[in-house]
Amino acid sequence: MDALILLGSFAVLFLLRMPVAYALGMSALIGAWWIDIPFDAVMIQVAGGVNKFSLLAIPFFVLAGAIMAEGGMSQRLVAFAAVLVGFVRGGLSLVNIMASTFFGAISGSSLADTASVGSVLIPEMEKKGYPREFSTAVTVSGSVQALLTPPSHNSVLYSLAAGGTVSISSLFIAGIGPGLLLSAVMMTMCLIFARIRNYPKGEVVPLKQALKICVEALWGLMTMVIILGGILSGVFTATESASIAVVWAFFVTMFIYRDYKWRELPKLLHRTVRTLSVVMILIAFAASFGYIMTLMQIPSKITTMFLTLSDNRYVILMCINMMLLVLGTLMDMAPLILILTPILMPVITGIGVDPVHFGMIMLVNLGIGLITPPVGAVLFVGAAIGKVTIENTVKALLPFYVALFMVLLAVTYIPAISLWLPSVVL
């Protein structure tokens, strides 16, 4: 009955279209009232939920990504990717995926990836003879890898939701394998479509121009080197690397590229603070919700339920995947990570799955949800930028969904894809 009161009240408030953060807070208060817990205890959890040093990584990484996105980095990465793969048949679709891979490793956000790369490449692809629906589908599906590769904001949220038992550095390094696998599968799909549909070849960039493009892009790509190099060498932590990334992004944007005007900086900071305020409110109320769940012993009850279904870890992982895929289409990624991680952590540790590995499984699942109706935020952004209806975009995405499911199965049942690199470098 306790679980019904807590989860049921959240479901009702969510269906009434109350913002997710407030629905979490209100249902936590309802749950506390039901089990006779003082509201003061809930408020203490709200304050404690955001009083963590590791959370500083989120605003810094978001700000660094915003500075690079609006400061001309996306255009330079597109040009750099064109130098590498733009000359083959279907080259612009490959450029799209590769540019998303580079930019995702700077922004850590699928939304920023789709908006930045899509605004540059979707019109260009249409101009070269690619259907606008296909161009939008490539942009949207390629952006999923930004959730996996460092500096993924969602990895930081997962580490927080796991109670700090999983290090952010381990998650960052673990995401490289699945992220590169996803990009490779997407590029293979693009090559197949290019051959079947006879998409045009690009032109080889002259050597002198190519060198100039590479030099300009390397300034921005150094952000990845700073983040990963600093973490792997032990010079600074993941949180510290975020602050250094902001300084570097600001330096490159304002003094190297100089495409961004100084008078625009206050507006950029205002947009960033507005985004972060939503995230921090969500984290705070999710902490109180998780606290009430723990008092009600909901995680242990759900663990028992899963273990009664089967004692086979592969079957349980398949059931969890199905649940995550469905929920990912109904709710945004951040609240699901904060709500489900404390619930599922006892389940996956009970069947011997590494929490770092499970983090990658969860991110791939919920990443697919971001590009799937009815609540796919990245899908809506991509369709708006591409000026294509949601229906046509989803039709064009169907083969890419199949490819993403193949990646999900590989990441789920081949732990080495996620765990090999952290075991080597950490």
Side-chain angles (χ1 to χ4, degrees):
M1 188 64 181
D2 291 347
L4 180 62
I5 293 296
L6 181 67
L7 301 178
S9 60
F10 172 74
V12 169
L13 293 171
F14 178 74
L15 292 173
L16 291 174
R17 297 189 176 277
M18 178 180 285
V20 173
Y22 300 126
L24 286 171
M26 285 296 298
S27 55
L29 291 174
I30 293 170
W33 168 77
W34 177 257
I35 61 175
D36 199 24
I37 296 294
F39 286 170
D40 290 353
V42 177
M43 294 301 104
I44 290 171
Q45 294 300 318
V46 170
V50 290
N51 189 23
K52 292 180 173 64
F53 177 76
S54 60
L55 279 179
L56 287 173
I58 296 178
F60 283 129
F61 279 135
V62 169
L63 180 57
I67 292 172
M68 298 299 273
E70 298 191 24
M73 187 66 243
S74 55
Q75 293 92 327
R76 287 169 173 83
L77 288 177
V78 167
F80 179 59
V83 171
L84 299 178
V85 295
F87 54 87
V88 301
R89 184 170 298 282
L92 267 184
S93 58
L94 301 183
V95 168
N96 194 317
I97 300 295
M98 186 168 285
S100 288
T101 302
F102 290 144
F103 190 75
I106 293 172
S107 70
S109 166
S110 286
L111 280 172
D113 196 329
T114 299
S116 299
V117 175
S119 60
V120 176
L121 272 176
I122 292 176
E124 185 65 22
M125 289 178 71
E126 185 185 31
K127 192 185 302 181
K128 297 294 183 181
Y130 294 82
R132 186 169 278 266
E133 293 84 357
F134 174 78
S135 306
T136 305
V138 170
T139 304
V140 168
S141 58
S143 70
V144 174
Q145 58 78 37
L147 304 169
L148 302 167
T149 52
S152 169
H153 316 144
N154 294 286
S155 292
V156 178
L157 288 178
Y158 175 78
S159 174
L160 170 72
T165 58
V166 184
S167 75
I168 298 173
S169 300
S170 297
L171 292 168
F172 277 3
I173 304 304
I176 294 174
L180 293 178
L181 173 63
L182 194 151
S183 295
V185 170
M186 292 294 106
M187 292 179 77
T188 302
M189 289 285 294
C190 289
L191 285 172
I192 292 171
F193 279 119
R195 185 168 293 275
I196 293 174
R197 299 175 181 176
N198 197 32
Y199 288 146
K201 286 186 177 182
E203 298 177 357
V204 177
V205 180
L207 180 59
K208 185 176 180 180
Q209 185 181 351
L211 290 174
K212 180 183 178 183
I213 290 171
C214 292
V215 170
E216 287 190 346
L218 285 175
W219 284 103
L221 292 173
M222 277 297 294
T223 310
M224 293 188 294
V225 177
I226 291 171
I227 294 169
L228 286 178
I231 293 172
L232 296 179
S233 64
V235 174
F236 40 72
T237 65
T239 303
E240 292 164 345
S241 73
S243 60
I244 295 169
V246 170
V247 175
W248 179 256
F250 179 80
F251 170 74
V252 171
T253 299
M254 305 309 296
F255 296 100
I256 303 298
Y257 294 157
R258 292 184 290 183
D259 290 346
Y260 202 72
K261 295 179 175 59
W262 286 88
R263 65 173 179 270
E264 296 294 327
L265 276 176
K267 295 180 181 178
L268 184 146
L269 291 171
H270 180 255
R271 288 193 297 272
T272 303
V273 169
R274 286 186 62 184
T275 300
L276 291 171
S277 63
V278 174
V279 174
M280 291 304 177
I281 291 171
L282 177 60
I283 292 171
F285 286 136
S288 64
F289 187 84
Y291 170 69
I292 300 299
M293 277 199 307
T294 303
L295 293 179
M296 291 179 171
Q297 298 183 335
I298 292 175
S300 61
K301 292 174 183 176
I302 292 178
T303 300
T304 303
M305 181 195 71
F306 271 107
L307 294 178
T308 55
L309 291 175
S310 174
D311 57 359
N312 187 312
R313 77 163 69 178
Y314 302 111
V315 174
I316 293 176
L317 282 174
M318 180 59 71
C319 293
I320 291 174
N321 275 340
M322 293 170 63
M323 180 183 73
L324 290 175
L325 285 170
V326 172
L327 291 176
T329 65
L330 301 174
M331 194 184 298
D332 202 12
M333 189 171 191
L336 281 175
I337 291 174
L338 294 169
I339 295 169
L340 295 178
T341 301
I343 293 175
L344 295 176
M345 190 61 68
V347 178
I348 60 104
T349 53
I351 60 176
V353 175
D354 190 290
V356 174
H357 175 211
F358 181 68
M360 297 303 107
I361 295 173
M362 177 174 274
L363 292 181
V364 175
N365 270 295
L366 300 184
I368 294 173
L370 285 179
I371 64 170
T372 307
V375 190
V378 175
L379 172 65
F380 294 140
V381 170
I385 291 172
K387 298 177 182 177
V388 183
T389 63
I390 298 295
E391 293 80 4
N392 289 338
T393 304
V394 170
K395 287 178 184 177
L397 273 170
L398 290 177
F400 292 98
Y401 285 134
V402 174
L404 286 168
F405 290 140
M406 292 171 59
V407 171
L408 173 60
L409 290 175
V411 171
T412 301
Y413 294 116
I414 308 176
I417 295 174
S418 304
L419 300 180
W420 176 79
L421 198 55
S423 69
V424 171
V425 300
L426 295 178

